Amino acid sequence: MTMNLSNVLMYFDDMEWKYTIPKDGEDIAVMGVSTDNGNFQCLVDVSSEHNGILFLTIFPANVPPDMRDTIAGFLTRINYGLFFGNFEMNYESGEIRFRTSLCPVDDFKKNEFDQLIGLNIQSMDRYFKILNNIIFGHLAIEDAVASLDK
C-alpha cells in the first residue's frame, strides 16, 4: 500500500484517535495526546515530495526569549544521547518539538508507524517535566544537566 495521508487517517480511525485536518494542510493531520506527564499537540506530515512521514510532538509552552539560549544548549545535550529522533526549537517563537521521521516509505506498515509515533511521544513525555521546570524557573540548568548523566 503506497504511503499517503489516507493511510494515516485510517490508522488513527482504527486506534479511535481524534484528529483534524488544517484547511491549508494538504497532507497534514493534527491531534492531541495526553500522557502521564503532559498534554501535547502532535502533527503528522505525509510528504510525497520526500516519500516519507514526519511526526512532531509539540511542547505545550513556548520558551521565553531570555531562556532560549539556555534551552537550546540543554536540548543539544539531550539530543547527543538520543538514538532515535531529536528535539528542536524555533528561536523566533520559542516552540519546542520532538521530531521523528521515516524515509523512504514505499508501503504503509503499521508496526513501523507504531514505533514512529510511540517513540516520539514517549521522548517528549520523558523530558517534559525537566524542560517545564527549567523554563519556569523551578530547576537550575546545572541540576538539569547533572540529571542527564544519571
Side-chain angles (χ1 to χ4, degrees):
M1 183 182 324
T2 304
M3 188 65 227
N4 56 46
L5 185 61
S6 63
N7 298 125
V8 172
L9 299 182
M10 284 191 303
Y11 173 89
F12 288 161
D13 289 340
D14 288 346
M15 301 296 288
E16 299 182 359
W17 290 353
K18 298 195 182 319
Y19 57 85
T20 59
I21 309 293
K23 289 182 182 179
D24 59 347
E26 292 178 22
D27 292 325
I28 295 173
V30 178
M31 59 186 229
V33 174
S34 293
T35 67
D36 291 340
N37 294 315
N39 299 311
F40 308 104
Q41 182 179 37
C42 297
L43 181 141
V44 62
D45 184 354
V46 181
S47 171
S48 56
E49 177 184 343
H50 296 101
N51 189 29
I53 304 170
L54 172 68
F55 193 86
L56 302 169
T57 299
I58 301 168
F59 192 81
N62 289 353
V63 179
D66 64 325
M67 291 292 298
R68 291 182 187 161
D69 286 339
T70 299
I71 294 297
F74 187 68
L75 293 176
T76 299
R77 290 174 184 265
I78 293 172
N79 284 337
Y80 185 77
L82 293 176
F83 182 75
F84 184 77
N86 67 282
F87 280 94
E88 56 192 21
M89 183 183 66
N90 179 317
Y91 258 90
E92 298 302 313
S93 68
E95 179 183 84
I96 296 174
R97 53 194 194 179
F98 192 81
R99 169 193 296 261
T100 51
S101 59
L102 288 173
C103 292
V105 178
D106 296 320
D107 293 317
F108 184 82
K109 295 183 178 108
K110 183 184 178 307
N111 64 330
E112 289 179 357
F113 200 60
D114 285 341
Q115 286 183 325
L116 175 79
I117 292 174
L119 291 171
N120 184 299
I121 294 170
Q122 288 170 9
S123 295
M124 181 62 84
D125 189 53
R126 176 180 177 196
Y127 292 102
F128 170 75
K129 283 184 178 178
I130 195 166
L131 285 167
N132 198 55
N133 285 333
I134 297 167
I135 291 168
F136 293 103
H138 305 298
L139 181 64
I141 190 66
E142 297 80 13
D143 295 333
V145 169
S147 75
L148 292 178
D149 296 332
K150 294 179 182 177

